[in-house]
Amino acid sequence: MENKTVLYLTKYYLSTRVAAGIRADRFVSALVQKGYRVVVVTKGEKAYIENRSPLLQICCINAEDQLPAEISQESLPKWPSWKRLPGPDAEYGFSRAVYRAAQWLIRRFPVDALFATAGPYGLMAIAHTLAGQYHLPMVLEFRDAWFTGMEWPYRSYLEKRQARLWEKRCILDAQAVITETETQRQILVETYGESLGQKIETIRHSYEAVAEKGGGIPPKPDRPFMIAYTGQLRGIDRMSAPVLARVLLRASRLIRRGLFGACFCEKLRLDWMSPHYLLQALAGAAQDDPEFGRSFQMHFVGNRFPAVDHWAKKMGIAEQVIQHGPLPHSQVKEYLTEVDLLVLSLYGIKNRDYHWCVPGKTYTYLGSGKAILALLPPGEARDLVLQAGTGFPARPDDIPGIQKTVLDLFRKIKFEGFQPRPNWDFIRQFHLPVQQNRFVQIISSVIRGRDG
């Protein structure tokens, strides 16, 4: 049987340190393993076309949004200059380059289905247009909420209206839509109706195989009590600025908003993802319990921030706070086997009682079986770690509450041999092969529908 071909549009694929890149790599691998030919259009440092295997071709657009030299652009229509790509995060240069590269590839390969993942949300408009031009079925993935469910910044009412119209158009015309959380899916169903909801499915992030034996061995008396946070930190620049600078920044934003419309995520509580609350709690715990102060280490795996070292030094815990910088995903998995307590945080959205977002690292944390300090607002992420039996919650900005939770866990793990009891029957639904199979089933169903 002839291999079916999927044209896969994604900004993130080549990076193994970004959750979106890891997710794309897993989905592409699943398709290839099932015998599909996959042609990936993505972004990287250099422009090239590479045949990685008989079933996997990669077309990479470089950082300057230039196409590979092999692509002849003379006969390739450009994205109309009058047709503005929808935001937020349209990445006009990259999205327009994808439009031209995809046309060349569609003419070169007998493409059977089109898949696009956003952000950038410009890719949604590109995929929708290509599907119409070449009569292809399309599957669209919202890795983040687009218009419905998220207070993204828009510079004008026209931009906001454009995003709303494009979202509706894409959901109406796509053969399938994938969301990352069930709450996000439900928000779309409530907006667009149960009939459209039948084609909107949730495929979460996943974890790779681990030994299902709980949270590991309790630390020995001479070993540090290791706390770790992996991935992105946000809001640090805002929280590290002097008070006067913050006041002036807020005033300038209000003025700009009045003149030009919103140009920042004014309804996001990014400070909840800044580690300054956590560090204050750890410093307080070290003062209250000298044994904890001598024993703990706080490890950050991800981009380094001078402000984190500054805060730690100011709070008297500089020797216990370690920033490792970015590590490959495979190395992060090995590192987590040594950790006693994992920290999970999430930004807040003002005036939202239940938060739909679930950080991708949540599932890796669940798969480790380790205790999770859940600095999360009420929402799906918090409910998941609690139902898994490994989550210990505290409000993100409640310093005394964080301090108490950390000390309680330290004493139980260090001196009582406490280990979480993961609900593996619940956690196994997030195992990588399960999520890969669900993705392949959606693609297969869409292609079968096209073939009749």
Side-chain angles (χ1 to χ4, degrees):
M1 184 179 70
E2 182 182 356
N3 298 103
K4 299 296 184 179
T5 300
V6 178
L7 183 61
Y8 197 112
L9 310 182
T10 175
K11 175 183 176 182
Y12 301 99
Y13 174 68
L14 301 172
S15 173
T16 59
R17 296 176 180 175
V18 179
I22 296 169
R23 182 175 173 91
D25 178 66
R26 289 172 171 176
F27 283 172
V28 169
S29 297
L31 289 170
V32 170
Q33 289 169 10
K34 294 294 184 179
Y36 288 88
R37 178 188 292 113
V38 185
V39 183
V40 180
V41 183
T42 189
K43 191 167 190 174
E45 293 183 3
K46 298 180 180 179
Y48 61 86
I49 292 179
E50 176 185 359
N51 294 320
R52 286 204 174 175
S53 76
L55 294 180
L56 178 58
Q57 284 76 40
I58 298 173
C59 173
C60 189
I61 296 165
N62 70 11
E64 287 74 40
D65 302 321
Q66 295 173 332
L67 299 179
E70 295 94 326
I71 296 181
S72 174
Q73 302 183 45
E74 294 181 0
S75 61
L76 298 177
K78 296 181 179 179
W79 184 261
S81 58
W82 54 267
K83 195 174 183 181
R84 187 169 177 82
L85 289 165
D89 188 26
E91 290 210 17
Y92 301 110
F94 172 65
S95 296
R96 287 168 176 160
V98 169
Y99 179 63
R100 304 196 81 187
Q103 292 179 81
W104 187 82
L105 291 165
I106 289 171
R107 297 173 185 181
R108 186 179 178 88
F109 295 97
V111 173
D112 297 285
L114 183 62
F115 176 85
T117 179
Y121 292 94
L123 288 184
M124 299 288 99
I126 298 300
H128 184 277
T129 303
L130 290 169
Q133 288 176 342
Y134 294 95
H135 308 289
L136 293 171
M138 66 174 170
V139 179
L140 302 179
E141 179 186 48
F142 295 178
R143 288 188 294 99
D144 213 333
W146 188 350
F147 177 84
T148 302
M150 188 59 167
E151 296 290 343
W152 289 114
Y154 297 97
R155 292 186 179 273
S156 67
Y157 171 77
L158 183 61
E159 277 195 2
K160 188 173 183 178
R161 181 176 180 273
Q162 184 187 46
R164 182 175 68 248
L165 292 174
W166 268 109
E167 179 190 84
K168 182 176 181 179
R169 188 180 300 158
C170 286
I171 290 179
L172 284 172
D173 295 339
Q175 279 61 52
V177 174
I178 296 172
T179 63
E180 285 193 1
T181 71
E182 184 58 29
T183 308
Q184 184 187 0
R185 176 191 174 278
Q186 190 56 40
I187 290 172
L188 290 175
V189 171
E190 290 171 359
T191 301
Y192 294 105
E194 288 291 342
S195 59
L196 286 179
Q198 295 176 4
K199 65 179 178 182
I200 304 175
E201 297 196 41
T202 299
I203 300 184
R204 301 178 183 276
H205 282 281
S206 53
Y207 71 90
E208 297 181 72
V210 294
E212 297 180 5
K213 57 183 180 181
I217 301 173
K220 297 178 180 179
D222 59 341
R223 188 173 77 80
F225 181 76
M226 295 177 63
I227 308 170
Y229 179 96
T230 69
Q232 291 182 325
L233 294 168
R234 297 184 184 276
I236 291 179
D237 55 343
R238 187 176 302 180
M239 301 314 299
S240 61
V243 175
L244 179 59
R246 284 187 235 169
V247 172
L248 293 175
L249 178 61
R250 178 171 176 76
S252 68
R253 284 173 169 171
L254 289 173
I255 293 171
R256 287 167 59 195
R257 185 178 189 275
L259 293 174
F260 307 110
C263 52
F264 58 95
C265 292
E266 56 187 6
K267 292 192 176 182
L268 294 187
R269 288 291 306 271
L270 292 178
D271 61 302
W272 286 1
M273 286 192 69
S274 168
H276 68 287
Y277 295 126
L278 173 63
L279 294 177
Q280 289 179 68
L282 295 177
Q287 290 182 346
D288 286 356
D289 188 331
E291 179 63 27
F292 175 80
R294 288 189 293 270
S295 301
F296 91 94
Q297 290 181 350
M298 180 67 230
H299 297 258
F300 291 96
V301 179
N303 291 336
R304 293 186 177 94
F305 292 92
V308 173
D309 292 332
H310 173 74
W311 286 332
K313 183 176 181 180
K314 186 177 179 180
M315 297 172 191
I317 54 173
E319 294 184 1
Q320 292 97 324
V321 176
I322 303 163
Q323 295 195 76
H324 293 271
L327 297 176
H329 181 64
S330 58
Q331 194 170 339
V332 172
K333 287 193 303 177
E334 294 177 7
Y335 179 76
L336 294 184
T337 62
E338 304 295 325
V339 171
D340 302 298
L341 179 62
L342 293 163
V343 180
L344 183 64
S345 65
L346 177 64
Y347 57 78
I349 304 176
K350 296 177 183 178
N351 303 321
R352 187 170 293 277
D353 297 328
Y354 194 87
H355 289 67
W356 55 265
C357 184
V358 178
K361 68 173 74 69
T362 303
Y363 304 97
T364 301
Y365 282 12
L366 291 177
S368 75
K370 298 297 182 71
I372 300 171
L373 176 62
L375 306 182
L376 304 167
E380 190 165 332
R382 188 177 186 272
D383 289 351
L384 284 175
V385 297
L386 290 177
Q387 192 168 352
T390 58
F392 299 86
R395 206 178 69 224
D397 56 353
D398 179 10
I399 296 171
I402 298 171
Q403 178 177 322
K404 181 180 184 304
T405 304
V406 169
L407 281 179
D408 287 347
L409 286 169
F410 165 72
R411 291 161 183 162
K412 288 180 179 179
I413 294 173
K414 185 84 171 178
F415 303 114
E416 300 175 18
F418 168 79
Q419 294 185 59
R421 295 183 178 180
N423 180 355
W424 289 112
D425 288 338
F426 173 75
I427 295 173
R428 286 190 199 103
Q429 66 180 301
F430 312 128
H431 192 201
L432 176 58
V434 176
Q435 305 296 55
Q436 286 178 316
N437 286 337
R438 293 194 62 221
F439 177 73
V440 172
Q441 288 171 7
I442 290 173
I443 298 296
S444 300
S445 176
V446 166
I447 291 178
R448 285 197 304 270
R450 182 202 189 203
D451 293 342

